[in-house]
Amino acid sequence: MFNFTGKVLSLTAASLMVTTAIASAQSADLIAAAKAEGQLTTIALPHDWCGYGDVIAGFKAKYPEITINELNPDAGSGDEIEAIKANKDNKGPQAPDVIDVGLSFGPTAKADGLIQPYKVSTWDSIPDSAKDAEGYWYGDYYGVLSFEVNKDLVPNVPADWADLLKDEYKNTVALAGDPRASNQAIQGVYAAGLSKGAAAGEAAGTAGLEFFKELNAKGNFVPVIGKAATLAQGQTPILITWDYNALSGRDTLNGNPPVEVVVPKTGVVAGVYVQAISAFAPHPNAAKLWMEYLYSDEGQLGWLKGYCHPIRFNDLAKNGKIPQEMMDKLPPAAAYEAAVFPSLDEQAAAKEAITKNWDSVVGANVQ
């Protein structure tokens, strides 16, 4: 193939140039369309969760023409789904454009017609096991359930789930969400069930309920949605939460009080969260641009800075994109060797058992 200067270009190089030009044009069109919409509505993105504060700030700095309307930062995955359902015909500020939910909520939202497909430009570097083949949802980051412990109030730090049943932990143990709606809390109950030796799926969900029934009966369980502030105040001295939230909370509290983050010896459950765009998004182009930002190297490193393992972690590491100082702040790899990644079927079975039977088995109104 020849160009007008007579220099020879390989077909491969020429194709690459054409592909790049098309991609650039598409990107420019998307940016223009998103800016024209002028707004993006998110939901359930607390700034201390997974580095979201810096991620949101990064998007705002890159696209200052787009206002981010943040709904209910402390909502759970179930609340996000309900927000889409409740606002199907509403193009106002209460209608979310995008959601960030637990893995099991992705397929159900697709089946219910609540989300729309969109494949980001870095699609190929997202593992196949962590995305819907048609692009309706895809993994964004993952972590493992851990214990975030206020060492001023809990000098003997628990090492495993069974330790939480000890008498010395009365009125100390809390979940970081309502297990009837929050994926994080549901996974906490599930992890407790696995630690008892139950089989993955419904059995582990049921065993987890029995664990929390005992924990509640002993007076060790605190029915409060825990966060860094309640931990620091002594209301929830031991908080069952994703490791990235615990590590972020430790940094935020900065030694006041001193915090230790423990990955339990058993029942180490890794949870993948997924992103999706509402099928009824009032600002669909801004939503797509947000997704492009989240799955860019910059967005992925923003999550890693917040102690989450971004879904493109292996691709970033392979290409030398991760700063060493960022790697040095992560927990040692050995703590994660026992981690299990529940399948969608296992999660769905456990979720149903936990959400439907929490009230009747445990009887603690978490709020």
Side-chain angles (χ1 to χ4, degrees), residues 246-285:
L247 292 162
S248 175
R250 177 200 65 188
D251 288 0
T252 299
L253 295 171
N254 196 28
N256 184 29
V259 169
E260 185 165 339
V261 178
V262 179
V263 175
K265 294 180 180 177
T266 62
V268 185
V269 170
V272 176
Y273 276 71
V274 300
Q275 292 281 334
I277 300 174
S278 168
F280 312 97
H283 315 100
N285 293 297

Side-chain angles (χ1 to χ4, degrees), residues 143-334:
V144 301
L145 270 304
S146 67
F147 306 152
E148 183 181 357
V149 184
N150 179 333
K151 291 195 69 179
D152 272 351
L153 299 177
V154 185
N156 298 318
V157 176
D160 208 352
W161 291 94
D163 294 338
L164 300 179
L165 294 168
K166 293 179 178 177
D167 291 339
E168 65 185 288
Y169 299 131
K170 284 205 182 303
N171 296 311
T172 63
V173 184
L175 289 163
D178 180 348
R180 295 163 294 191
S182 162
N183 178 68
Q184 181 175 204
I186 291 168
Q187 295 301 320
V189 177
Y190 182 72
L194 285 181
S195 76
K196 295 184 70 172
E202 182 182 359
T206 300
L209 289 172
E210 290 299 324
F211 176 89
F212 276 87
K213 177 182 179 180
E214 185 178 358
L215 197 70
N216 191 44
K218 288 181 68 72
N220 291 15
F221 183 62
V222 182
V224 170
I225 295 176
K227 54 187 71 175
T230 60
L231 180 133
Q233 294 160 2
Q235 191 177 11
T236 61
I238 301 175
L239 182 56
I240 298 167
T241 183
W242 293 119
D243 58 343
Y244 44 83
N245 289 337
L247 292 162
S248 175
R250 177 200 65 188
D251 288 0
T252 299
L253 295 171
N254 196 28
N256 184 29
V259 169
E260 185 165 339
V261 178
V262 179
V263 175
K265 294 180 180 177
T266 62
V268 185
V269 170
V272 176
Y273 276 71
V274 300
Q275 292 281 334
I277 300 174
S278 168
F280 312 97
H283 315 100
N285 293 297
K288 293 172 183 177
L289 188 62
W290 169 250
M291 300 293 259
E292 290 290 352
Y293 180 75
L294 293 181
Y295 289 86
S296 69
D297 292 354
E298 181 180 343
Q300 295 277 291
L301 290 176
W303 278 329
L304 188 59
K305 186 179 177 183
Y307 298 120
C308 294
H309 281 68
I311 205 68
R312 294 182 53 233
F313 181 85
N314 290 341
D315 180 66
L316 293 170
K318 180 181 69 177
N319 291 295
K321 298 290 183 67
I322 304 174
Q324 187 57 46
E325 61 268 21
M326 204 174 279
M327 293 289 286
D328 292 342
K329 290 183 179 179
L330 298 173

